[in-house]
Amino acid sequence: MKKFSKFLLLFLPIFFITGCAIHKNEAFIIPNGDKLENKSFFVLHSLGDKRHLEEIIRDALVEKGFVAISGQKENMPEKIDVLVTYEDRWMWDLGNYLIQLDIQFRNPKNEYPFVAGETVRTSLIRKEPKFMADEVISKMLEKLDKGK
């Protein structure tokens, strides 16, 4: 019995801690969607976003070699190839952190998505929004390359 109680005391905290460490990074190609070629991107500012994630997403696309701008819908140029939308979820655990970031690449004419990606990182493995944006965009581009 003593061995079992020592085992519980040693490993029970590990089970609780690892249960709080969730990481998911996925991308999905939407059937009947467009294909990505050498495209220009417009990252649409989400109305509820006060942290300006559209700028972080725009910068991640620029770092990958694409032409990208961001702003409000009324400022979107007519000659844009991809409309980028996103949804962010924040959590509080001794401070606010981004727990989930969903990004969609859409046709700017009809706003139909052709690829969607999401990344989720809970408190124990949280990262900065810049890291998460780059992570999900990389996964989306990888998925598009495999889908060709």
Side-chain angles (χ1 to χ4, degrees):
M1 186 66 173
K2 280 188 174 187
K3 283 185 180 182
F4 183 71
S5 57
K6 284 182 182 179
F7 173 81
L8 278 179
L9 286 173
L10 183 62
F11 288 103
L12 197 57
I14 293 171
F15 291 130
F16 283 115
I17 290 173
T18 57
C20 297
I22 297 171
H23 175 239
K24 180 170 79 167
N25 185 27
E26 297 179 323
F28 309 95
I29 293 179
I30 310 299
N32 302 320
D34 295 338
K35 299 294 182 219
L36 184 68
E37 294 165 11
N38 53 350
K39 302 281 186 173
S40 58
F41 293 82
F42 182 80
V43 184
L44 181 63
H45 173 77
S46 181
L47 294 177
D49 178 18
K50 294 182 172 111
R51 296 172 177 96
H52 295 284
L53 286 174
E54 82 279 2
E55 295 172 1
I56 293 171
I57 295 167
R58 176 202 62 210
D59 293 346
L61 287 164
V62 169
E63 286 177 10
K64 294 188 179 313
F66 294 101
V67 174
I69 57 174
S70 62
Q72 303 292 333
K73 185 144 188 170
E74 58 269 10
N75 298 333
M76 184 172 78
E78 286 188 34
K79 294 282 186 181
I80 219 71
D81 298 315
V82 179
L83 173 64
V84 181
T85 59
Y86 63 95
E87 296 175 38
D88 55 320
R89 291 195 184 145
W90 294 79
M91 192 67 75
W92 190 89
D93 184 4
L94 302 176
N96 281 328
Y97 70 96
L98 182 61
I99 188 170
Q100 181 173 347
L101 179 61
D102 301 333
I103 299 176
Q104 304 83 32
F105 291 171
R106 300 174 178 272
N107 179 321
K109 293 170 186 59
N110 58 18
E111 296 191 14
Y112 189 78
F114 58 91
V115 65
E118 75 172 350
T119 187
V120 177
R121 289 182 164 275
T122 55
S123 180
L124 289 178
I125 53 173
R126 71 176 89 171
K127 296 285 185 182
E128 293 298 316
K130 181 182 181 340
F131 181 93
M132 291 178 70
D134 186 62
E135 179 177 54
V136 71
I137 289 169
S138 294
K139 190 67 154 183
M140 293 167 72
L141 294 172
E142 175 186 316
K143 192 70 152 186
L144 283 169
D145 282 344
K146 286 182 182 178
K148 286 184 178 177

